[in-house]
Amino acid sequence: MKIAIFDSGIGGLTVLHQALQQMPQEDYLYYADTLHVPYGTKTKEEIISCVDEAVAFIAEQDVKALVVACNTATSVAIAELRQKYTFPIIGMEPAVKPAVSQSQKRVLVIATPMTLQEQKLHDLLLQIDMTHIVDLLPLPQLVTLAEDGIFSGAEVETYLQKEFGRYALEDYDTVVLGCTHFNFFKDTLRRLLPGNISLLDGSNGTVKHLQHLLAERGLGENNNGQVTYYQSGKLMLDTTPYEALLSRLDQMQQY
Ligand code: DGL
C-alpha cells in the first residue's frame, strides 16, 4: 500500500522529497490540488470543501496513511479528517515550539494568511509564547510564484525585501517556514536574511513522525520508492515537471 502525501500544489513535494530520502523502500501517492491552488487566500469553508473532495478521492486509492503536507489545510481541516477516516493522518503545523525553545531573540513565522489567522496557531502561541517573542508575517505571493515556477530572481527578491523590510531583522534569530511551498525559496531566503538567523521548517519532523507511526503500527513495507502523481483527481501522465522539482530540491543546499 502507498503513503499518500497531499498539498494544494507543489509545496508537499518538499515533504515527499524528504520521505523518499528517509524511507526509499515505501511507495507514494502524491496528490496536488492544482485546480484549487492557492488555498491560503481562500475562506475556511472553501478550503474545507477542497480538502474534503481531495481526501475522499485519496481514500479510495490503495493508501495506508496520509500526510497533509500543507499547513493551511491542516489548520482548518485536520480534526474533521481524523474523525472521518480510519487510516493514520499526519498534519503539518509551523515549527513554532522548537523555534521558541531555541531562540535567544525573536522568532518570525512566515506562512499563508489562513494559517496565521487560524485558532490552532493562536492556541499554541498562548501556551508557548509567554514573553511574546513571536511575530507573524503572511507571504501569500510566494505560493503563486512557486506555482509559476519562479523560485529566485528580481520578482522574488523585491517582494521579500519589501515584506522583511518592515522588521528590524537584527532582533530575530529564527525564521519558521510555516508553508511547505516556502522550502523552494530557501536559497534566496538564506541570502537575503542575516547569517545568524536560522531557518526552521517542519518537513524533517513530519517524516520522522510518519516513520515512527508506521513502525509502531507495523505498516512499514519493502517496496521500491515508486511515486504515482495525481492532480485534482486526475492521474498525472507526464510526471517530468514534478520530478524536475524533486531534483531541484536534491541540488539545494541544506540549511
Ligand atoms: N503549501 C501550503 C501550506 O503549507 C499552502 C499553499 C497555498 O495553497 O496557499 O500552507
Side-chain angles (χ1 to χ4, degrees):
M1 291 174 94
K2 299 181 178 72
I3 296 167
I5 299 184
F6 159 58
D7 182 40
S8 57
I10 62 169
L13 290 174
T14 62
V15 178
L16 172 65
H17 179 252
Q18 188 79 37
L20 282 167
Q21 283 185 339
Q22 283 172 227
M23 292 183 286
Q25 76 286 2
E26 294 287 348
D27 283 346
Y28 298 88
L29 180 158
Y30 186 80
Y31 188 108
D33 193 6
T34 46
L35 276 182
H36 303 116
V37 69
Y39 280 0
T41 46
K42 290 187 163 49
T43 65
K44 197 170 167 172
E45 292 67 33
E46 285 168 339
I47 301 169
I48 290 175
S49 137
C50 294
V51 173
D52 271 349
E53 192 182 328
V55 179
F57 178 89
I58 292 168
E60 281 171 14
Q61 315 306 310
D62 188 29
V63 301
K64 58 182 173 184
L66 168 66
V67 181
V68 180
C70 177
N71 294 260
T72 311
T74 299
S75 63
V76 301
I78 199 86
E80 291 80 355
L81 289 178
R82 289 202 176 112
Q83 270 173 10
K84 223 175 197 172
Y85 299 100
T86 51
F87 48 79
I89 300 179
I90 293 165
M92 286 193 84
E93 58 188 5
V96 189
K97 218 174 172 176
V100 168
S101 59
Q102 78 165 37
S103 177
Q104 311 285 325
K105 294 172 128 187
R106 299 192 66 78
V107 172
L108 188 61
V109 183
I110 55 174
T112 67
M114 180 55 77
T115 301
L116 297 182
Q117 86 186 38
E118 260 309 288
Q119 201 54 41
K120 202 166 192 290
L121 180 62
H122 291 272
D123 287 346
L124 179 65
L125 288 176
L126 267 182
Q127 285 173 32
I128 62 165
D129 186 23
M130 305 305 181
T131 49
H132 304 293
I133 59 160
V134 178
D135 294 310
L136 310 176
L137 170 63
L139 292 176
Q141 216 170 302
L142 282 191
V143 177
T144 38
L145 285 164
E147 289 296 325
D148 289 342
I150 303 168
F151 304 108
S152 58
E155 203 178 340
V156 175
E157 295 197 13
T158 310
Y159 174 58
L160 288 177
Q161 264 155 352
K162 185 180 114 237
E163 295 297 330
F164 286 126
R166 299 192 271 127
Y167 295 84
L169 290 177
E170 62 278 11
D171 294 346
Y172 294 80
D173 63 4
T174 313
V175 168
V176 176
L177 277 62
C179 170
T180 48
H181 280 75
F182 295 179
N183 289 305
F184 284 107
F185 298 94
K186 267 189 177 168
D187 287 343
T188 306
L189 287 166
R190 189 62 289 162
R191 219 157 25 76
L192 292 184
L193 293 168
N196 70 301
I197 292 188
S198 39
L199 304 177
L200 271 192
D201 81 87
S203 45
N204 188 21
T206 303
V207 172
K208 280 207 177 114
H209 181 191
L210 170 68
Q211 208 165 9
H212 183 79
L213 202 137
L214 293 178
E216 196 182 68
R217 304 204 183 178
L219 290 172
E221 275 175 85
N222 232 335
N223 295 322
N224 48 17
Q226 224 185 327
V227 187
T228 312
Y229 297 92
Y230 287 90
Q231 289 182 314
S232 300
K234 291 211 165 56
L235 183 67
M236 196 177 171
L237 296 174
D238 177 12
T239 58
T240 44
Y242 282 7
E243 280 152 10
L245 290 170
L246 291 176
S247 313
R248 167 181 279 272
L249 292 167
D250 266 340
Q251 282 150 23
M252 269 171 67
Q253 278 198 48
Q254 300 301 311
Y255 298 108

